[in-house]
Amino acid sequence: MSKKKEKIFIFDTTLRDGEQAPGASLTSIQKLEIAYQLENLGVDVIEAGFPVASPDDFKAVSNISSKIKKSSVCGLARCTKKDIEAAAKSLKKAKKPRIHIFLATSGIHLKYKFRKAKEEILTLTKKYTKLARSKCGDIEFSPEDATRSSKEFLYQVIEAAINCGAKTINIPDTVGYSYPQEISSLISDIKNNVPNINKAVISIHCHDDLGMATANSLAALSAGARQAHCTINGIGERAGNASLEEVVMAIKTRKDVFSNFKLDVNSQEIARISRLVSNLTGFTVAPNKSIVGRNAFAHEAGIHQDAVLKKRSTYEIMDPKDVGLDKSQLVLGKHSGRHALAKRLKKLGFTFEKKKNDLLFKKFKNLADKKKEVFDDDLIALAEEETKPRTQAYKLVFVAINTGTDVSPQASVKIRHKRKVLEAKAYGDGPVDSCYKAIDKLTGVKAKLLNYKLDAVTKGKDAQGRAKVELKAKGRLIVGRGSSTDILEASVKAYLDAINRVA
Ligand code: KIV
Ligand code: ZN
């Protein structure tokens, strides 16, 4: 008789731990677009943010709470009254709210971060799990740095959290220190030593500092965990988190090993959401990244190509269709209508109101006049412009450059600021530098350019360029992006985008 399948819950933290990656900041509108796609992908829980951290985080969690119906929406909170109250308030409109509280349990955190004794941590666990439970029916508790905590103490904290109302116990490998056998023993030990563990779902949260986040997550699931924390493209704090596409596709591909697991994720949506997250965060996916990298299904060697043509499974363990890679990217052209565009944008995860759709339609027509074929990535680049913060202090009106061989580049830039059009000219080391110098003169914002990158959005000579800049200003790392069929315009838009985030 075949064994009953057990559901594996996928808890996506792209919008919380993923967004903690330096330079990955997203606006609340962009977070909502990603949340729609996560729901479409079928994740069980969307960790939408850390509501107490900033007004923007609070807004993002409450926006997402009011729109997402199928997935649970979760807000993170430390074990403090202020954090838990902010999380509960931001989740008010959620159909399925969850509060995720965390408190460190490792000796190193207790000694250096908190200067607290174990007894105090136990008291705080009880007090704040009860408080969170009084505000929300679904509580997840994380003993932070669990993998470096004393096991005996961990068992006590977990037991207390469950007694006070936690339904999920998440085990974080906060610094990505553990390895698969160790994680597997830890989960088994928790199952065998925490008396009330059957009243909670065990979850796993792995970081990738040693490149083992996916392997560790799978080891935990094999040992009895039933929820995995993941992020799209594996983005996250430092080296990132366990990548959703890897965890999901490992379970789906190795049905022989994970025969008793069932997942509700629609893997055919993976490629689409991977592109969306990469475009909106500006975090390019490495070509050799498992599952979603450009080369993940490409065969270069002649012997491989020949064998794949004869029998795909000689060198391919997954069908590209299963991650949504078969679909043609060519979508629209200059004869496409308003309705087709709105429908396609919705499919790509952008749900705009009519006014924005109309504006995008105009921009799309302009683009279609310049480019013969408009691809999904072109549409994402156009839509991304509309997800930037509404309050853009500086807007580009005009840019012209005089440059050439043996000519010092000179830029002339006009921008709109508070209804006035300002103009400046500047020489620079290259055309982009001269534009940025002119903008510096106009805005007076003090920022240091750390990085500049230009990519083609799609293939072809008429492809749009997408520029990304990283600035250091007011002690923060600020990222700006811009796209256009004119690469200088894209570069200027990216710089202004970053300046607007500083101003
Ligand atoms: O890595 C970590 O410990 C976390 C917790 C908040 C779960 O992200
Ligand atoms: Zn984490």
Side-chain angles (χ1 to χ4, degrees), residues 16-17 20 76 100 102 142 144-145 170 172-175 205 207 229 241:
R16 200 276 299 168
D17 222 344
Q20 275 174 229
L76 182 70
H100 173 198
F102 72 102
S142 285
E144 191 190 4
D145 207 14
N170 178 50
D173 184 25
T174 302
V175 289
H205 176 108
H207 280 272
H229 280 209
N241 289 59

Side-chain angles (χ1 to χ4, degrees), residues 41 248-249 252-253 255 265-271 291 297 312 317-327:
L41 177 70
V248 165
M249 289 315 290
K252 292 209 167 192
T253 307
K255 288 203 179 74
V265 171
N266 174 8
S267 63
Q268 292 192 352
E269 291 295 324
I270 283 177
I291 323 288
F297 292 90
R312 196 180 51 78
I317 57 165
M318 289 167 273
D319 187 335
K321 275 196 209 116
D322 290 342
V323 295
L325 275 176
D326 65 316
K327 301 196 181 88

Side-chain angles (χ1 to χ4, degrees), residues 369-470:
D369 275 341
K370 292 182 189 155
K371 271 185 108 247
K372 263 206 315 267
E373 297 163 323
V374 179
F375 296 90
D376 279 355
D377 284 339
D378 289 317
L379 293 181
I380 293 175
L382 275 191
E384 191 192 334
E385 295 282 319
E386 299 312 312
T387 61
K388 286 180 180 169
R390 252 181 260 274
T391 45
Q392 300 263 297
Y394 300 103
K395 272 202 150 161
L396 176 67
V397 176
F398 165 91
V399 57
I401 320 239
N402 182 20
T403 191
T405 333
D406 299 330
V407 178
S408 272
Q410 190 195 26
S412 167
V413 179
K414 276 188 202 170
I415 55 178
R416 192 182 309 279
H417 178 57
K418 294 186 178 159
R419 293 167 184 235
K420 277 200 198 136
V421 174
L422 315 170
E423 183 173 8
K425 289 186 173 35
Y427 287 99
D429 288 336
V432 174
D433 185 50
S434 60
C435 290
Y436 290 3
K437 287 212 165 95
I439 293 172
D440 287 347
K441 276 194 196 171
L442 291 172
T443 63
V445 173
K446 299 231 170 326
K448 187 168 181 243
L449 180 66
L450 301 177
N451 257 313
Y452 165 85
K453 196 167 148 245
L454 185 69
D455 283 315
V457 172
T458 56
K459 291 182 195 143
K461 275 196 280 186
D462 59 358
Q464 290 194 85
R466 181 191 281 115
K468 176 182 170 187
V469 298
E470 287 177 5

Side-chain angles (χ1 to χ4, degrees), residues 293-359:
R294 192 176 64 233
N295 294 347
F297 292 90
H299 301 280
E300 183 66 26
I303 304 171
H304 287 206
Q305 288 173 354
D306 181 56
V308 166
L309 288 175
K310 288 178 179 139
K311 179 89 179 148
R312 196 180 51 78
S313 56
T314 46
Y315 285 101
E316 262 183 25
I317 57 165
M318 289 167 273
D319 187 335
K321 275 196 209 116
D322 290 342
V323 295
L325 275 176
D326 65 316
K327 301 196 181 88
S328 155
Q329 272 232 48
L330 172 62
V331 282
L332 304 170
K334 69 176 181 188
H335 300 296
S336 307
R338 211 173 278 266
H339 182 65
L341 175 70
K343 207 169 142 200
R344 192 69 209 170
L345 283 169
K346 195 153 184 221
K347 263 228 127 132
L348 291 171
F350 296 96
T351 318
F352 295 123
E353 77 273 19
K354 186 174 173 317
K355 226 165 112 195
K356 273 237 160 117
N357 270 331
D358 288 348
L359 180 72

